[in-house]
Amino acid sequence: QLQESGPGLVKPSETLSLTCTVSGGPVSSGTDYWSWIRQSPGKGLEWIGYVYHSVFTSYNPSLKSRVTIMMDKSKNQFSLRLNSVTAADTAVYYCARDQNYLDVWGKGTTVTVS
Amino acid sequence: SYVLTQPPSVSVAPGQTATITCGGDNLVIRRVHWYQQRPGQAPVLIIRDDTVRATGIPERFSGSKSGDTASLTISGVAGGDEGDYYCQVWERNSDHFVIFGGGTNLSVL
């Protein structure tokens, strides 16, 4: 299971920080990628990026300059940081296990930039 | 960047069959995955690798692909099937991007 956590309200120009806690298996599994996805109100799914093998990352080119995804093996968590947020970053943020397909999702957490 | 194209909406009467398409360049060489998102809920994987039903998904849901178009077929549609459906692929360029289609809203008349 995956569970997102973090502030529900972030001020413009500040940094959005979310954590995904993984239960039922190690986040450091060598075959799993761990992704963040978001969904703006009334819009479709947008992939933000993933982390795998603890240190390797890949980001959506449209967000790459503002995004950092990291893994904390000791806590079995991975995290998302999005800098310099604007109202356009208001969305439901999901974390998911990525095996080429996203087979386990968190319930999502709503983040409002205001 | 790679684009997956889905119809914005599909409507079908209860008990009938719904087909949702997903098109993309050279889709024939990519593995397509499908997700269902009911209102207010997180997406759920229903089909992976073009045709494989995910764990616990009823046989009413099936996936197929012909050339550059993948299809999700839902037979015996019921009200509980209403929601948004998304196709997804990995774009295996240098950074392995995850690409979603724009989503299709399924309504049961």
Side-chain angles (χ1 to χ4, degrees):
Chain A
Q1 290 185 338
L2 282 68
Q3 178 67 58
E4 305 89 350
S5 59
L9 183 64
V10 181
K11 290 182 168 55
S13 80
E14 295 190 344
T15 297
L16 179 160
S17 295
L18 296 175
T19 298
C20 182
T21 301
V22 178
S23 57
V27 71
S28 57
S29 167
T31 59
D32 293 336
Y33 296 65
W34 301 94
S35 275
W36 286 97
I37 302 100
R38 71 180 184 179
Q39 186 170 35
S40 301
K43 302 295 185 182
L45 301 172
E46 178 181 29
W47 174 73
I48 299 171
Y50 59 58
V51 60
Y52 70 108
H53 288 189
S54 301
V55 296
F56 295 103
T57 56
S58 179
Y59 300 130
N60 187 320
S62 69
L63 298 169
K64 190 173 185 176
S65 64
R66 299 193 291 131
V67 173
T68 303
I69 297 176
M70 297 188 297
M71 182 183 291
D72 186 336
K73 291 187 289 184
S74 67
K75 296 181 180 178
N76 221 39
Q77 296 175 335
F78 63 105
S79 63
L80 168 70
R81 287 174 58 87
L82 182 64
N83 301 326
S84 305
V85 298
T86 69
D89 295 310
T90 293
V92 177
Y93 286 77
Y94 297 99
C95 59
R97 185 176 72 176
D98 188 344
Q99 300 184 305
N100 192 343
Y101 47 86
L102 300 146
D103 63 340
V104 183
W105 293 66
K107 293 183 178 181
T109 187
T110 299
V111 178
T112 301
V113 178
S114 178
Chain B
S1 63
Y2 192 76
V3 176
L4 292 172
T5 301
Q6 298 182 236
S9 62
V10 167
S11 299
V12 64
Q16 298 304 303
T17 297
T19 299
I20 298 171
T21 59
C22 173
D25 288 343
N26 270 336
L27 198 59
V28 63
I29 65 171
R30 294 173 169 84
R31 296 182 180 182
V32 180
H33 319 297
W34 291 92
Y35 303 87
Q36 176 194 61
Q37 185 178 33
R38 294 190 173 104
Q41 297 186 18
V44 172
L45 176 71
I46 51 175
I47 299 288
R48 64 172 177 88
D49 298 329
D50 298 337
T51 62
V52 181
R53 272 187 303 278
T55 303
I57 301 302
E59 292 183 5
R60 302 188 296 108
F61 293 84
S62 63
S64 63
K65 192 167 66 180
S66 177
D68 289 343
T69 300
S71 298
L72 171 69
T73 301
I74 309 169
S75 60
V77 168
D81 298 326
E82 285 194 326
D84 296 321
Y85 292 80
Y86 296 89
C87 58
Q88 177 250 317
V89 299
W90 265 36
E91 171 54 11
R92 292 188 175 274
N93 60 16
S94 59
D95 283 333
H96 291 188
F97 300 136
V98 176
I99 306 292
F100 289 103
T104 298
N105 179 259
L106 174 67
S107 61
V108 181
L109 301 173

